[in-house]
């Protein structure tokens, strides 16, 4: 029963059913992982969130299989979300390690207990191995910063800014694609206009040739009539003589 309660407590609750100081190193390690993962999205739990952790695991599985995309249930997770998950995990792990080293360096406690305190503060779990009173003033200030709401808000604002930036980039890409399509359509229309102009010029040339041929035929017909009239007149004169 204590094990089940501990697994839930490590996500968000902060209620202590057993003394955290008596946990074995393996138990503390599992507790650290559970606190880092935290609860699900949309809840008041802290940590990385289970969805972020699952996306990271699916990414590692996909890369191990030699795939460049993350697919689950016949759906592809966008690369931007995978990068967001990796970014959040890197930041959380980096802050946790920095907090563990900083606490153990400035306070008379071991690295494991210092890391436990740092992760508990980052994940807003509220658990401790009983060394909180031994923390130095700089370490206590760091714990306040880690456990403050402002850090969570800053993380959320950073994530939101990244998403808005990606939305702006997507909109910019769409506008660029539309502009390229418009330019292609303009080029095609220009080609069609040039082809139509060439056809009109050819038709005008044919018209001029036909007019010239008609004029030539009219001239030849006129000459033929003149010659025939002259012949008729000469015959009439011969007959009259």
């Amino acid at each position: 029963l204590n094990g089940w309660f501990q697994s839930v407590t490590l996500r968000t609750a902060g209620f202590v059913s057993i003394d955290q100081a008596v946990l074995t190193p393996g138990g503390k390690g599992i507790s650290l992982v559970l606190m880092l993962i935290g609860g699900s999205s949309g809840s008041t739990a802290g940590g990385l969130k289970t969805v972020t952790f699952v996306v990271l695991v699916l990414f590692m599985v996909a890369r191990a299989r030699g795939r460049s995309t993350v697919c689950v249930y016949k759906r592809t997770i966008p690369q931007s979300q995978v990068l967001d998950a990796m970014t959040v995990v890197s930041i959380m792990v980096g802050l946790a390690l920095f907090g563990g080293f900083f606490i153990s360096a400035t306070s008379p406690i071991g690295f494991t207990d210092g890391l436990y305190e740092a992760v508990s503060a980052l994940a807003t779990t509220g658990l401790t191995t009983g060394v909180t009173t031994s923390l130095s003033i700089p370490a206590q200030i760091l714990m306040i910063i880690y456990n403050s709401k402002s850090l969570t808000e800053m993380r959320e604002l950073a994530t939101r800014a990244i998403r808005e930036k990606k939305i702006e980039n997507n909109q910019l890409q769409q506008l660029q694609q539309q502009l390229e399509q418009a330019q292609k359509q303009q080029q095609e229309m220009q080609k069609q206009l040039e082809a139509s102009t060439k056809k009109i010029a050819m038709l005008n040339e044919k018209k001029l040739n036909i007019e010239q041929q008609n004029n030539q035929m009219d001239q030849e017909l006129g000459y033929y009539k003149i010659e025939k009239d002259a012949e008729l007149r000469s015959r009439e004169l011969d007959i009259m003589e």
Side-chain angles (χ1 to χ4, degrees), residues 4-171:
W4 285 106
F5 195 85
Q6 175 76 0
S7 65
V8 176
T9 299
L10 293 169
R11 300 305 182 91
T12 181
F15 297 108
V16 179
S17 60
I18 58 175
D19 186 6
Q20 305 296 305
V22 300
L23 293 176
T24 62
K28 290 182 180 179
I30 295 174
S31 299
L32 288 172
V33 173
L34 291 177
M35 283 191 293
L36 274 177
I37 295 174
S40 298
S41 300
S43 66
T44 57
L48 298 171
K49 305 298 183 184
T50 53
V51 176
T52 303
F53 178 74
V54 170
V55 170
L56 183 64
V57 172
L58 291 174
F59 170 74
M60 290 188 293
V61 172
R63 296 302 299 172
R65 293 181 177 179
R67 298 175 181 174
S68 58
T69 57
V70 180
C71 298
V72 57
Y73 294 112
K74 298 181 180 180
R75 295 181 181 273
T76 302
I77 299 176
Q79 192 70 18
S80 59
Q81 294 185 2
V82 177
L83 293 176
D84 287 344
M86 294 177 64
T87 303
V88 173
V89 171
S90 300
I91 292 173
M92 287 288 289
V93 173
L95 290 174
L97 291 175
F98 171 77
F101 283 118
F102 185 83
I103 292 172
S104 61
T106 58
S107 304
I109 58 176
F111 173 73
T112 303
D113 290 336
L115 184 62
Y116 201 94
E117 295 289 322
V119 173
S120 176
L122 278 173
T124 63
T125 306
L127 296 178
T128 178
T129 56
V131 297
T132 305
T133 55
S134 302
L135 296 179
S136 62
I137 294 178
Q140 292 178 9
I141 294 174
L142 182 65
M143 290 298 95
I144 293 172
I145 295 173
Y146 275 12
N147 204 26
S148 65
K149 187 179 179 181
S150 60
L151 184 64
T152 304
E153 291 178 350
M154 289 173 60
R155 185 169 64 245
E156 292 178 353
L157 288 174
T159 305
R160 190 179 304 170
I162 292 172
R163 291 177 181 174
E164 290 177 354
K165 185 66 176 177
K166 289 177 180 176
I167 291 173
E168 291 178 357
N169 291 333
N170 291 333
Q171 291 177 350

